[in-house]
Amino acid sequence: METKREKILDTYSGLTFKNRKDHVVELETDHTPQEITANKRSVPGLMINRGCCYAGCKGVVLGPIQDAVTLEHGPIGCGYYTWMTRRNKARGINGKSLIQYSFSTDLQETDIVFGGVKKLKQAVKEAVEIFHPKAVFICATCPVGLIGDDINSVAKWAKEEFGVQCISFSCEGYKGVSQSAGHHIANNGLMKDVIGTGTNKPTTPFSINLLGEYNIGGDAFETERILTKIGYQVVSKFTGDGVYDEISSAHLANLNLVQCHRSINYIAEMMKVKYGIDWLKVNFIGIKETIRTLREMAAYFDDEGLKKRTEEVITEELTQIQGDWDYYKKKLSGKKAGIFVGGSRSHHYMDLLADFGVETVVTGYEFAHRDDYEGREVIPDIKLDADTKNIEQLSPEKDESMYRRYIDDDTYNELKGKIELDYYKGMMKDMKKGSLIIDDYNEAETEDALLLYKPDIFYSGIKDNFMILKSGTPAKQMHSYDYDGPYTCFKGAINFAHDTFDEVNAPAWKLLTPPWNTEPTLEGSLGNSAIERGEQHA
């Protein structure tokens, strides 16, 4: 009998089938990873949902830093897209936050012909004089790489001219296969020129960096509230609600927490090598996952007072939400969901949905690597291709003056097998037999998945959201939360369940019949009708 995977792939031509077949996996057994192809270039012509290298660098990692000017050197469309599609919230410093602005050199045709360096220098000058930022990040777009504008020399000039940190990022959109390459480039730049330059020492040994949290809808605010309530000091956030001076002092924290594995694991790994700081794969999206994360953090620091306070806070938070949790679990249990979001977020929301009895039947990532699906143990087996080698691979060395270990080797080895210390297990280990995983999904595959799996709700990105809604399936846009949130930790989980309940039970889309289902949208004629009517053409 033909499997659902085969039904999806059968619609393709031979060449496209050959390209896509290993990107689509149907699990044969429970909780057992299968090899999947990932981090490869998309098939030209397919309506995919990825972003570009520039979007990953400027839009995801650098853009949320609230006291830095992230200047896009290129056409205004690139700058606007990477600014308006995300809801990175920030408290502001002395009432000021720069993330509300979209900074761009707005290159025109004459700039492409004659070069845009002069315009870039003027833009940097205006940004420094008007906004007085802590730093200026110059991000290159496709045309800048093609015409050869030297953004590195401009950054060096600006640093000398204005006495402000200015860093260039050669993150042209065509580099790499997706926004994942841009994450890597941004990680490299922050590691080389920012992290390690600050001197803000933590005031408690329970000091952490929150990596891979971009504060969509206020997620970081809620996570920081819980951590502070327990007794942790959040030294820095990468990069939602991020502050330059805090990021520069990240090397002084005692533990890194990695939320979005794909976008920030590079920094976590490099800080481990250079400064000796361990990292813990965490997940604050989901009630049970938040509890697991908090207990693993307490286990790492191994302080009885901290462990006691952790359990007290867990009890306090659960007491406040228990009634709502029971209510929404009763209402949502048995529902099915599809999730297609970037980075680790599909995995995170799969865990959150499970808290309310919702099964994820089809899922995937926009820009993941194999380890995001199968676990980090497969990294040695991943073959580097030309696209991967196109991204600079930093090899930091141990900083003898700043290197330190919070726990000794024996404790580390004991913990390594018990908690996700310096490790990410990947998404497949939490999925059941028959679940469908699609890497770099496209609209054709999404339509087929909707027909075959009939999810009650679909969580997706910006581009495919409306296509799903038009099919009559409730959909939630997870890059901006459709202006809802926060969705992290205990109260955030209830916010998510409330919004999901509303989406699933909204009747509007099921009451609509698309006009193309009942009448043709195009009309034409066949044969030689024009000639038969005696019409002549010049």
Side-chain angles (χ1 to χ4, degrees), residues 4 31 57 80 119 140 215 231 279-280 294 304 307 317 386 413 464 479 534:
K4 292 178 180 178
H31 315 301
C57 181
Y80 185 72
K119 199 171 190 178
N215 204 27
W279 62 270
L280 185 67
L294 295 176
E304 291 305 317
K307 290 179 180 178
E317 295 292 324
N413 292 329
D464 55 330
H479 289 300

Side-chain angles (χ1 to χ4, degrees), residues 467-520:
M467 177 269 292
I468 296 165
L469 288 171
K470 289 174 182 176
S471 76
T473 303
K476 184 76 174 173
Q477 204 272 84
M478 297 309 294
H479 289 300
S480 71
Y481 293 174
D482 286 329
Y483 298 92
D484 292 316
Y487 289 154
T488 50
C489 302
F490 303 93
K491 293 181 179 178
I494 300 303
N495 291 340
F496 179 83
H498 173 271
D499 293 340
T500 295
F501 176 78
D502 283 352
E503 293 273 355
V504 169
N505 291 283
W509 294 103
K510 294 179 181 178
L511 298 175
L512 294 176
T513 302
W516 52 84
N517 283 356
T518 58
E519 60 187 44

Side-chain angles (χ1 to χ4, degrees), residues 362-422:
V362 54
T363 188
Y365 294 127
E366 294 175 19
F367 50 79
H369 298 194
R370 274 185 61 197
D371 46 309
D372 298 300
Y373 293 103
E374 304 171 53
R376 288 185 64 90
E377 55 265 39
V378 304
I379 290 179
D381 299 328
I382 298 176
K383 296 180 181 179
L384 298 182
D385 57 16
D387 286 310
T388 307
K389 293 177 181 178
N390 193 34
I391 309 302
E392 181 184 13
Q393 305 290 323
L394 295 186
S395 299
E397 296 181 354
K398 181 178 179 180
D399 186 331
E400 296 292 349
S401 63
M402 297 300 301
Y403 189 91
R404 69 200 187 287
R405 293 291 304 279
Y406 187 80
I407 58 175
D408 58 35
D409 289 340
D410 290 338
T411 305
Y412 177 88
N413 292 329
E414 181 182 347
L415 286 173
K416 194 77 167 71
K418 298 178 180 178
I419 64 177
E420 287 194 64
L421 186 58
D422 295 340

Side-chain angles (χ1 to χ4, degrees), residues 17-262:
F17 171 85
K18 182 179 179 181
N19 182 288
R20 289 298 300 161
K21 64 182 179 65
D22 295 328
H23 290 263
V24 183
V25 169
E26 191 170 347
L27 289 188
E28 297 172 357
T29 54
D30 291 341
H31 315 301
T32 304
Q34 293 171 216
E35 184 172 335
I36 189 170
T37 295
N39 196 36
K40 302 294 182 183
R41 286 197 175 269
S42 303
V43 178
L46 290 180
M47 291 294 291
I48 61 166
N49 296 281
R50 282 175 167 176
C52 66
C53 175
Y54 158 79
C57 181
K58 189 265 186 184
V60 176
V61 179
L62 301 177
I65 300 176
Q66 57 187 301
D67 55 350
V69 164
T70 306
L71 175 60
E72 175 250 353
H73 186 37
I76 188 61
C78 300
Y80 185 72
Y81 175 75
T82 53
W83 169 73
M84 58 76 64
T85 55
R86 296 176 69 83
R87 293 176 59 237
N88 309 108
K89 292 194 171 184
R91 290 189 176 92
I93 302 169
N94 298 322
K96 184 177 74 171
S97 170
L98 299 179
I99 67 171
Q100 61 188 303
Y101 300 100
S102 178
F103 297 98
S104 171
T105 52
D106 187 22
L107 291 187
Q108 302 295 311
E109 290 181 3
T110 53
D111 302 312
I112 300 300
V113 174
F114 297 106
V117 168
K118 184 177 179 181
K119 199 171 190 178
L120 176 58
K121 285 187 175 182
Q122 180 63 25
V124 173
K125 180 176 184 295
E126 291 178 7
V128 171
E129 292 176 348
I130 296 172
F131 295 98
H132 309 290
K134 274 287 184 176
V136 176
F137 301 139
I138 301 171
C139 297
T141 55
C142 292
V144 170
L146 294 173
I147 66 176
D149 276 357
D150 189 354
I151 62 172
N152 299 318
S153 65
V154 173
K156 183 179 179 181
W157 164 82
K159 193 171 183 178
E160 296 172 353
E161 182 76 11
F162 305 111
V164 65
Q165 176 66 287
C166 188
I167 306 171
S168 58
F169 295 84
S170 297
C171 55
E172 296 85 357
Y174 53 75
K175 273 189 178 176
V177 303
S178 69
Q179 56 264 57
S180 174
H183 302 151
H184 198 162
I185 291 169
N187 278 220
N188 287 347
L190 292 176
M191 191 68 195
K192 286 192 296 186
D193 297 316
V194 182
I195 299 169
T197 62
T199 57
N200 296 332
K201 292 184 178 180
T203 57
T204 171
F206 312 130
S207 56
I208 58 94
N209 295 312
L210 187 55
L211 306 184
E213 170 51 71
Y214 301 103
N215 204 27
I216 305 297
D219 281 352
F221 294 157
E222 182 63 12
T223 300
E224 189 172 10
R225 180 186 72 83
I226 296 293
L227 294 176
T228 303
K229 187 177 181 180
I230 291 173
Y232 293 102
Q233 180 178 355
V234 180
V235 175
S236 66
K237 288 152 287 186
F238 285 71
T239 54
D241 195 35
V243 177
Y244 182 86
D245 284 345
E246 293 177 357
I247 292 172
S248 70
S249 300
H251 63 296
L252 300 174
N254 284 328
L255 179 65
N256 281 324
L257 308 182
V258 174
Q259 175 78 8
C260 178
H261 174 260
R262 185 71 271 137

Side-chain angles (χ1 to χ4, degrees), residues 209-392:
N209 295 312
L210 187 55
L211 306 184
E213 170 51 71
Y214 301 103
N215 204 27
I216 305 297
D219 281 352
F221 294 157
E222 182 63 12
T223 300
E224 189 172 10
R225 180 186 72 83
I226 296 293
L227 294 176
T228 303
K229 187 177 181 180
I230 291 173
Y232 293 102
Q233 180 178 355
V234 180
V235 175
S236 66
K237 288 152 287 186
F238 285 71
T239 54
D241 195 35
V243 177
Y244 182 86
D245 284 345
E246 293 177 357
I247 292 172
S248 70
S249 300
H251 63 296
L252 300 174
N254 284 328
L255 179 65
N256 281 324
L257 308 182
V258 174
Q259 175 78 8
C260 178
H261 174 260
R262 185 71 271 137
S263 68
I264 214 77
N265 74 89
Y266 313 100
I267 278 178
E269 283 293 302
M270 289 187 285
M271 290 182 73
K272 167 82 173 177
V273 173
K274 188 171 183 178
Y275 301 112
I277 305 173
D278 294 320
W279 62 270
L280 185 67
K281 177 64 184 77
V282 301
N283 182 16
F284 291 103
I285 297 175
I287 298 170
K288 293 177 182 178
E289 276 296 288
T290 298
I291 293 172
R292 174 194 68 82
T293 291
L294 295 176
R295 286 174 175 165
E296 290 190 1
M297 290 173 63
Y300 179 85
F301 285 102
D302 195 25
D303 178 87
E304 291 305 317
L306 188 69
K307 290 179 180 178
K308 181 173 181 291
R309 183 59 182 151
T310 296
E311 294 303 323
E312 289 174 349
V313 169
I314 290 172
T315 300
E316 289 172 12
E317 295 292 324
L318 284 176
T319 300
Q320 294 178 40
I321 68 162
Q322 191 64 57
D324 289 327
W325 188 5
D326 294 339
Y327 174 80
Y328 286 117
K329 188 171 184 178
K330 181 179 179 181
K331 294 294 184 181
L332 295 172
S333 185
K335 301 293 186 183
K336 297 183 294 183
I339 313 175
F340 281 126
V341 199
S344 310
R345 296 176 73 83
S346 291
H347 189 184
H348 298 160
Y349 284 102
M350 182 173 69
D351 292 329
L352 174 51
L353 286 165
D355 286 338
F356 296 95
V358 180
E359 181 185 1
T360 301
V361 293
V362 54
T363 188
Y365 294 127
E366 294 175 19
F367 50 79
H369 298 194
R370 274 185 61 197
D371 46 309
D372 298 300
Y373 293 103
E374 304 171 53
R376 288 185 64 90
E377 55 265 39
V378 304
I379 290 179
D381 299 328
I382 298 176
K383 296 180 181 179
L384 298 182
D385 57 16
D387 286 310
T388 307
K389 293 177 181 178
N390 193 34
I391 309 302
E392 181 184 13

